[in-house]
Amino acid sequence: MSQSLRTVVTMEELFSARNSLPGTVGLVPTMGYLHEGHISLVRRARAECDHVVTSIFVNPTQFGPAEDLEKYPRDIENDTRLLENAGAELVWTPTVKEMYPDNFQTWVEVEKLTKPLEGAMRPGHFRGVSTIVAKLFNAVRPDKAYFGQKDAQQAAVIRQMTRDLNYPIEIVVCPIIREPDGLAMSSRNTYLDSKQRQAAIVLFRALTQARKSFENGNRDAESLRKIVKSVIEEEALAQVQYVSCADYDTLTELDTINRKALLSLAVYFGKTRLIDNFILG
Ligand code: AMP
């Protein structure tokens, strides 16, 4: 059932709206251009908390200089409609100026977990992510915060930050929502032309093939990485950036899969970089 959604922009409006919410609050941070993946987090928050607060903020500090900050897709009208239907009560759409005023100079940095994978490919990315999420946590003071397994390393980094900085917030990580053909939903999928969109299903196919091998008893991490790579390399429009099979908690690469593992990848289709992952074990 939908209820009315209130949009707030300034920190002052956010504080006053937040203070009027009794009971538990679930926070769903997003960069907007919402799809069913984001909405699944809102629904989960709605089921578990008295109130759901979402934020829409395309956070400039998590984009590299050569990344897509300027052209990142935005559609606030559609976003608010989707949030209202999903039962969110409050959406905060802060401005860059208010989040990063002149002379801003304090950062939150998770050290080890941000070194491999996305952190290695996107220097400074996680410093931007952990800093903005800390700011959102401080402002909204949620009881629970919801993140997607789609961004597996981000979820791990936020969990670590929450523990290290003693935020009294439960981090809930929700499963990846996929298109019917298996492509993980992402705001960035809109960058793909129709041929690239068709080609992109190779990611799910490659991960599925490796998982089958794992389920058949293959515990050799390098062999699973090779399966993923070789399936993707059959697709001419795909350019592999990395394929990883790492310890689920520490994200260090494994030789033998003898504990919960994260099989993850980043692949380019033209200029569009997509990420995806499966959990093994
Ligand atoms: P973003 O707007 O891309 O920053 O994503 C906001 C939140 O939605 C993050 O916690 C993402 O991990 C999550 N998310 C994005 N895509 C999906 C998806 N396909 N399934 C589940 N969660 C997702």
Side-chain angles (χ1 to χ4, degrees), residues 131-281:
T131 301
I132 195 66
V133 172
K135 287 167 70 71
L136 296 173
F137 282 3
N138 292 338
V140 176
R141 287 170 286 115
D143 298 278
K144 295 186 174 201
Y146 294 81
F147 295 87
Q149 178 60 27
K150 163 87 191 332
D151 298 279
Q153 188 174 15
Q154 168 173 284
V157 167
I158 297 304
R159 232 191 268 114
Q160 186 72 39
M161 176 192 84
T162 302
R163 227 179 290 138
D164 290 349
L165 297 184
N166 306 109
Y167 281 111
I169 298 171
E170 183 187 334
I171 304 302
V172 180
V173 181
C174 305
I176 301 178
I177 303 297
R178 298 178 179 280
E179 300 288 354
D181 64 8
L183 179 66
M185 288 191 182
S186 165
S187 310
R188 289 189 167 101
N189 291 350
T190 58
Y191 298 151
L192 302 170
D193 67 27
S194 64
K195 281 192 180 139
Q196 292 167 336
R197 170 64 187 80
Q198 189 53 35
I201 60 180
V202 74
L203 305 184
F204 183 70
R205 219 169 46 233
L207 289 167
T208 303
Q209 199 149 315
R211 182 169 60 193
K212 271 194 199 130
S213 176
F214 174 79
E215 283 166 355
N216 289 333
N218 186 353
R219 294 291 179 273
D220 179 42
E222 186 53 24
S223 137
L224 295 187
R225 288 179 209 110
K226 279 196 179 131
I227 292 172
V228 173
K229 272 188 209 148
S230 69
V231 174
I232 296 172
E233 278 160 7
E234 283 164 24
E235 173 49 67
L237 296 181
Q239 192 89 52
V240 175
Q241 189 179 44
Y242 69 77
V243 173
S244 157
C245 183
D247 179 284
Y248 180 80
D249 294 309
T250 65
L251 302 181
T252 50
E253 291 302 316
L254 292 171
D255 294 325
T256 306
I257 307 170
N258 49 14
R259 54 210 128 135
K260 193 171 172 185
L262 182 75
L263 183 63
S264 68
L265 54 79
V267 175
Y268 277 97
F269 294 85
K271 288 192 175 126
T272 303
R273 184 177 180 277
L274 300 183
I275 58 171
D276 200 350
N277 67 80
F278 276 14
I279 298 170
L280 302 179

